Amino acid sequence: MSLYPGLLGFRDLGGLRLSDGGRVRHGVLFRSGTPQFFDADTARAPVSDTGTRSTVDLRLRQEIAREGRGPLDELGVRHIPASFRIGVVAEEATVAPMDRDAPLVTRYLGNLEEDAATVVSLVPRLLEPGVLPALVHCTVGKDSTGVAVALALDAVGDRREDIAADYARDPEDVAAGMDRLRNVASYVRPWRSTHPRAGPRRPRSCSGSWARSMPGTAGRWR
């Protein structure tokens, strides 16, 4: 269960093991689902507790414009939009299309193959002055966030098994996030048409599947 009500899938990426024996620093990079369901009161605690200065927003551009980001502007949290270009997305869509046979694996590899420039630009953007600590998020906090975080962790030398384990965490928050979107009018129709078999999956198995499909390290996608 998420530490902060309304922010599903939230976690600090600190503590994950590096291949040189070190660990990722705590309090620098966080991940979650969308903050759009925050109100002013519930948003203050995570911003204050973590010192978050920026959010890297991986949602579709039209989704960002339609759904917003809760009260984070008012709280002075910088917004860094970084939407992945995935196939052809209708202007009215709030979710990206998925392949019917292997939706998650196909989408993850599509992020890398169709928009490698955006994906690999995330790490240098995070290193710009005043960006960190930062929260990386998409809508549910699993797909685009999983790709972005995996590449960032790989770039700093994180162990592949730790990347996969982090991806597999909190499946109950993923299910809750998907259920929450099914109750939001702007998501209902596009969700049904682009996620025909959407639902909780076995995340560790899926993580292993797409990770094995990645040809080498983050450097291969520069």
Side-chain angles (χ1 to χ4, degrees):
M1 179 176 292
S2 180
L3 181 62
Y4 299 106
L7 192 62
L8 295 171
F10 175 85
R11 54 187 176 272
D12 184 346
L13 294 168
L16 298 179
R17 298 172 298 170
L18 301 174
S19 57
D20 64 3
R23 290 185 179 269
V24 177
R25 284 176 55 193
H26 285 281
V28 174
L29 191 62
F30 306 90
R31 64 176 291 173
S32 74
T34 177
Q36 72 194 56
F37 296 98
F38 267 149
D39 59 33
D41 292 331
T42 55
R44 286 193 181 93
V47 172
S48 175
D49 293 349
T50 65
T52 295
R53 295 179 176 179
S54 311
T55 61
V56 177
D57 192 341
L58 305 171
R59 295 175 297 166
L60 297 175
R61 286 174 294 177
Q62 57 265 40
E63 181 184 0
I64 295 171
R66 183 177 295 123
E67 302 298 333
R69 58 194 296 255
L72 296 184
D73 286 330
E74 290 81 357
L75 292 175
V77 179
R78 177 180 174 185
H79 185 227
I80 303 175
S83 306
F84 293 154
R85 295 189 300 273
I86 303 298
V88 178
V89 181
E91 282 299 318
E92 68 275 12
T94 46
V95 291
M98 282 189 172
D99 181 272
R100 289 175 179 268
D101 296 321
L104 296 183
V105 173
T106 300
R107 182 172 180 179
Y108 296 164
L109 296 179
N111 286 341
L112 299 174
E113 293 168 358
E114 296 183 33
D115 199 11
T118 298
V119 177
V120 300
S121 71
L122 294 176
V123 173
R125 293 186 77 177
L126 287 169
L127 297 178
E128 293 175 1
V131 171
L132 296 173
L135 171 69
V136 179
H137 75 87
C138 54
T139 306
V140 175
K142 196 67 169 180
D143 298 333
S144 295
T145 300
V147 171
V149 166
L151 267 292
L153 292 174
D154 187 62
V156 299
D158 198 74
R159 295 186 182 184
R160 283 292 178 87
E161 58 268 33
D162 280 19
I163 295 174
D166 175 72
Y167 173 89
R169 281 186 56 182
D170 302 330
E172 65 280 0
D173 273 9
V174 175
M178 294 172 73
D179 287 341
R180 180 168 63 179
L181 295 181
R182 291 190 184 99
N183 294 316
V184 178
S186 60
Y187 287 97
V188 172
R189 179 177 294 178
W191 191 273
R192 288 174 179 168
S193 62
T194 61
H195 296 66
R197 295 189 299 185
R201 301 180 63 138
R202 290 178 292 180
R204 185 174 296 275
S205 175
C206 179
S207 173
S209 177
W210 84 271
R212 286 192 297 272
S213 300
M214 292 174 60
T217 65
R220 293 288 296 274
W221 298 99
R222 294 194 181 100

